[in-house]
Amino acid sequence: MGKVVECAKVDPSSGCTHVVRGKTDEEVLKNAMEHAKQHGIREVTPDLIAKVKAAIRDEK
């Protein structure tokens, strides 16, 4: 079973419907940081990492 994080769960104000997937939490985090570039985010802060980690769920 994989892991997912919904962009809107990390930042509800974004209105983004993108779902980031990976096999592990670490892979989802890496992929989410790549997706963040599409939102103009260039600096990965500890706060952003914490928000992403808190929103990671098991894929159903």
Side-chain angles (χ1 to χ4, degrees), residues 10-11 29 32-33 36-37 41-55:
V10 177
D11 181 10
L29 184 61
M33 294 308 114
K37 293 177 183 177
I41 297 170
R42 300 287 175 241
E43 181 181 346
V44 178
T45 64
D47 183 53
L48 178 58
I49 292 171
K51 286 180 181 180
V52 172
K53 285 184 176 180

Side-chain angles (χ1 to χ4, degrees), residues 1-2 4-5 8-13 15 20-21 23 26 33-34 46 48 53 56:
M1 179 182 300
V4 297
V5 66
K9 296 285 186 187
V10 177
D11 181 10
S13 67
V20 178
R21 291 182 166 79
K23 292 181 181 177
E26 293 76 21
M33 294 308 114
E34 280 299 311
L48 178 58
K53 285 184 176 180
I56 293 174

Side-chain angles (χ1 to χ4, degrees), residues 16-29:
C16 182
T17 60
H18 186 74
V19 177
V20 178
R21 291 182 166 79
K23 292 181 181 177
T24 64
D25 286 4
E26 293 76 21
E27 188 176 337
V28 171
L29 184 61

